[in-house]
Structures are given as C-alpha cells and as structure tokens.
Amino acid sequence: MSDRLPPLTALRAFDAAARHISFAKAAEELNVTPAALSFQIKSLEEHLGQPLFRRLNRAVELTEAGETLAPGAAEGFRALGQAWQSTRRLLDETTLTVTAGPALTAKWLAPRLFEFARSHPEIELRLSASLKVVDLRRGGVDVAIRFGVSDDAGLASYGTRPDWLTPVMTPEMHAQFPTPESLRRAPLIFDDSLSTVAPGCDWPAWFQAVGVEFAPGTGTHFSAPDHAIDAACAGLGVALGRRPLIIKDVREGRLVAPFKVAIQTDARFRFLCLPEARDRPQIAAFRDWFFAEIEKTAHMWGDFDIIPVQDLQPQ
C-alpha cells in the first residue's frame, strides 16, 4: 500500500459514489459513464489495497475502509471548492458581498444603499441580513459589519464611534410624557438584545443618568432592536433606541428624542474584511461610503450629554 495520494479524479469518483451510495447517480453527477466511474473507483481500491464498496446485486454499500475515507474526502473537496472560489474572488472587482445584522440593514443600510449604487454603478452589491458570524475566508463574503465588543483577530477592523442610547417616542406620546420624571408612568419598550451586546445599557441606567428613580413595572419586550423601534413608531410606548437605528425615524419625524441625555456603551459597529483584501476597489469604495454616511448625520447629536455606562453605578 502506497502513502502517495491517488489521482484526484479517482477520489472525486469515490466522493460522489459515497454520497449517493450509487454508481449510476454518481456517474450522472460527474457526467461520465457508469463504466468509467467504476473503473476510477477500482483503480482507487487497487491503490489502497482493499475494497471501498461491497458490490451487491442492485446496490452498493461502503466497507469499513469506505466509511473511514468518505468524511475526509467530502471535507477535502468542500475545502478545495471554497479555496478556489475565494481565489477567484480576488480577480473580481465588480461584485461585493456584504453581511450585516437585520436591524442595521433595515434601519440604516437599506434606506441609504441607493446612494452607493448611484455612485458606483459598476459594482454589483449583494447584501445578506444575518446575525450569523461568517468566516470571511470561506463564507463567500467580502465585508462583515458587526456590532459588539471584539478584538476581531486576523481581520482588518475599522470601528465606528461607541454606540449610545436615548429614549425615543412619537410626538403624540411626548406630549403625554414631556419630562424624564413623567416617563416613570409611560409604557416602556424593552430591547432584550442589549443584555448580550451592551450589558448595563438599560432603562434603570438611563433613569439614573437623569437623576430619576426607576420604578420597575410591566412593559413590552422585544428580542430584536428594530422591532422595538418599530413598536415605538406605532405608538406602543417609549423605546431606548440605539443611535444608528433611530436616525431615519427621528429625521423624518416619526420619532422624537426629546431628552438630551444618552448612555454610551463600549459596543460599536465594526467594518471587517480580510487584511489582504482591504485595498480591493469595491471594498475600499464601500468602506469610504459607509463612514462618510455616518458622518453626514453626526451633527444631529451634538447637543446630547453622552454618559458612559461605566460611570453609572447600579442602584
């Protein structure tokens, strides 16, 4: 038995047959005749020195050797395919695949993307709204925009300013609850996702920041921040909204942020890509656009008193 690897075509034939447990279906997948596929597998068995399949009357099944080889062969071809696609992407300067969380996509990215498309008609943008952490080397994604606190080891990381939160509500609800003290009686909306990405940035912390004793009561809880903001827009209550997620609704008058005190967390959005890909034209263009868009609305928050949550002690 030789330690030398067998021909790739023979391993490919085995991988297909092992997945289908059928020589006929494997031959169809590889666009070869069943006889040609059987010859490749036979040559692989001769190279190994023992059978990989048991030939039955109308079927085949893997031997112990076949069961041992099949997972590694499948993973090897998957890894090879991913590596090939990643290498091909290096030559592609017209397609950009971006992943970002659903909340940022709905509330900030999507309403602005027409500007990027208008400025860069040569780039085909593909946007995936997902909280899944994608491996940028293997996942077919060029850029990830993630929120939280992380060292992003092995990636080129460009951070925004730390995120902060302030109460938002409809103008009609603000007329009912015009002061921070009056919010003790208001229907509050809770964004439960904050407990995982920005611990301590919650209603008790904000009430402490404005010097009002928090009165725990019932409220409506949401697991997604954009749903909490949408509920506030619908008049359900007062939400503690994160800056990038409330900009559009505040600017267009659906919400107001009347109390000029905000609590700041260490969490922030980070623009991530592979270090060797940072200067690819479409990635550089999207990065420049992303941070320029952020600066366009920075002036809206100039009169806020922003208090780091670390400066607030639990009551």
Side-chain angles (χ1 to χ4, degrees):
M1 182 173 60
S2 173
D3 288 334
R4 180 172 51 86
L5 283 175
L8 194 62
T9 51
L11 285 170
R12 170 62 84 184
F14 167 77
D15 172 59
R19 283 187 285 105
H20 292 291
I21 309 296
S22 167
F23 283 13
K25 290 181 180 179
E28 183 178 352
E29 176 187 315
L30 299 178
N31 198 28
V32 298
T33 66
L37 183 123
S38 181
F39 175 80
Q40 290 290 347
I41 292 176
K42 189 66 175 176
S43 69
L44 185 62
E45 291 173 323
E46 290 175 355
H47 187 95
L48 180 65
Q50 58 182 303
L52 296 166
F53 290 94
R54 295 185 188 90
R55 278 75 168 174
L56 308 176
N57 285 338
R58 294 182 175 273
V60 294
E61 64 181 24
L62 289 166
T63 64
E64 182 181 1
E67 293 279 6
T68 302
L69 180 60
E75 176 59 29
F77 280 111
R78 277 195 296 270
L80 186 59
Q82 290 169 347
W84 179 250
Q85 292 300 323
S86 297
T87 304
R88 289 188 63 188
R89 288 205 339 262
L90 296 176
L91 305 176
D92 181 0
E93 296 183 355
T94 63
T95 302
L96 180 67
T97 302
V98 177
T99 181
L104 183 71
T105 300
K107 290 294 185 181
W108 195 90
L109 267 178
R112 292 169 167 76
L113 283 178
F114 74 94
E115 291 281 2
F116 180 78
R118 185 172 62 181
S119 301
H120 299 278
E122 77 283 3
I123 297 176
E124 177 184 337
L125 181 62
R126 300 173 182 175
L127 186 60
S128 172
S130 173
L131 291 176
K132 180 181 179 182
V133 177
V134 178
D135 184 340
L136 296 186
R137 292 199 181 277
R138 298 185 176 185
V141 171
D142 301 298
V143 169
I145 300 173
R146 296 175 184 159
F147 180 72
V149 179
S150 175
D151 58 7
D152 301 317
L155 297 174
S157 178
Y158 305 85
T160 65
R161 300 173 186 177
D163 207 13
W164 51 258
L165 306 92
T166 195
V168 290
M169 65 196 86
T170 62
E172 294 78 12
M173 186 158 287
H174 177 44
Q176 300 178 51
F177 305 102
T179 65
E181 291 79 8
S182 67
L183 288 189
R184 287 163 49 90
R185 299 179 285 102
L188 300 182
I189 295 172
F190 295 84
D191 171 12
D192 290 341
S193 71
L194 288 172
S195 63
T196 59
V197 295
C201 286
D202 49 19
W203 277 114
W206 186 83
F207 276 109
Q208 183 184 353
V210 294
V212 175
E213 184 178 353
F214 177 62
T218 60
T220 306
H221 290 250
F222 291 89
S223 62
D226 51 325
H227 296 172
I229 300 304
D230 288 343
C233 288
L236 182 64
V238 184
L240 199 55
R242 287 165 40 195
R243 178 182 56 84
L245 306 186
I246 62 176
I247 287 175
K248 188 173 188 294
D249 292 314
V250 170
R251 187 166 56 182
E252 296 178 359
R254 287 182 291 275
L255 295 175
V256 294
F259 310 124
K260 304 308 179 183
V261 174
I263 52 175
Q264 179 180 287
T265 173
D266 285 338
R268 67 185 72 210
F269 285 99
R270 293 107 59 218
F271 182 106
L272 307 175
C273 63
L274 295 176
E276 63 270 25
R278 73 180 80 200
D279 294 326
R280 289 174 59 196
Q282 67 271 49
I283 292 178
F286 191 73
R287 181 176 64 243
D288 291 346
W289 170 84
F290 178 77
F291 285 97
E293 283 296 312
I294 291 173
E295 289 306 311
K296 283 183 180 179
T297 55
H299 67 280
M300 293 178 62
W301 318 108
D303 56 349
F304 275 72
D305 183 12
I306 301 173
I307 302 173
V309 72
Q310 295 89 341
D311 294 349
L312 302 171
Q313 298 298 319
Q315 293 179 333

